[in-house]
Amino acid sequence: MTQQGAVLQGYNNELVKCLENLCMHKEELNKQIQQGEEERNKLQHEIKVLSEQLECVCENLAQKVASRNELDKILAETEAAYMKILDSSRTLLDVLKKEVGSLKHMPELKTN
């Protein structure tokens, strides 16, 4: 029986070693899981911060694009009005030249 007890004791020792190895492996996995969760939380926080920054940049950009579009509209209207002024000025100049030319053909007034 002693021999069987020794064999049983050997099995028990191997079983205890295996259980200890499994516990150590579990602890290592728990550490890795905790590190992974911490990294995930850190990345999620960074994503949140970056998303908020992106939202602000997009809003700012949209406001600037709207302002630029308004300026484009004002510039186009101003340029169109200026072209009308130039056209009117050219027409006025042509009429004035024509009137001055017709004055040259008029007989001179005699003064007493």
Side-chain angles (χ1 to χ4, degrees):
M1 211 39 148
T2 5
Q3 190 176 9
Q4 292 173 337
V7 171
L8 185 60
Q9 184 65 34
Y11 291 156
N12 187 45
N13 288 342
E14 282 187 54
L15 183 60
V16 169
K17 281 184 186 179
C18 285
L19 288 174
E20 287 174 353
N21 284 338
L22 286 175
C23 286
M24 286 178 21
H25 187 66
K26 179 185 172 186
E27 286 178 27
E28 181 60 32
L29 280 174
N30 279 337
K31 287 179 186 177
Q32 292 175 1
I33 289 170
Q34 185 178 2
Q35 288 172 347
E37 288 173 343
E38 288 172 2
E39 181 69 14
R40 180 191 63 203
N41 291 339
K42 176 184 167 193
L43 291 172
Q44 285 177 333
H45 176 72
E46 289 176 12
I47 288 171
K48 180 182 175 189
V49 168
L50 289 173
S51 294
E52 290 170 358
Q53 289 177 351
L54 178 61
E55 186 177 338
C56 288
V57 167
C58 287
E59 288 174 9
N60 189 317
L61 184 59
Q63 290 173 350
K64 288 181 180 181
V65 167
S67 294
R68 183 190 62 194
N69 291 342
E70 185 64 26
L71 286 175
D72 284 344
K73 179 182 171 187
I74 291 169
L75 282 170
E77 291 172 355
T78 302
E79 287 174 357
Y82 184 69
M83 293 306 290
K84 287 180 181 179
I85 290 170
L86 287 178
D87 190 45
S88 296
S89 295
R90 186 183 34 153
T91 302
L92 179 59
L93 182 60
D94 290 346
V95 168
L96 184 60
K97 284 181 181 179
K98 190 175 187 181
E99 292 295 321
V100 169
S102 64
L103 283 177
K104 290 181 182 178
H105 296 0
M106 288 182 70
E108 288 186 31
L109 293 174
K110 294 186 182 177
T111 57
N112 289 339

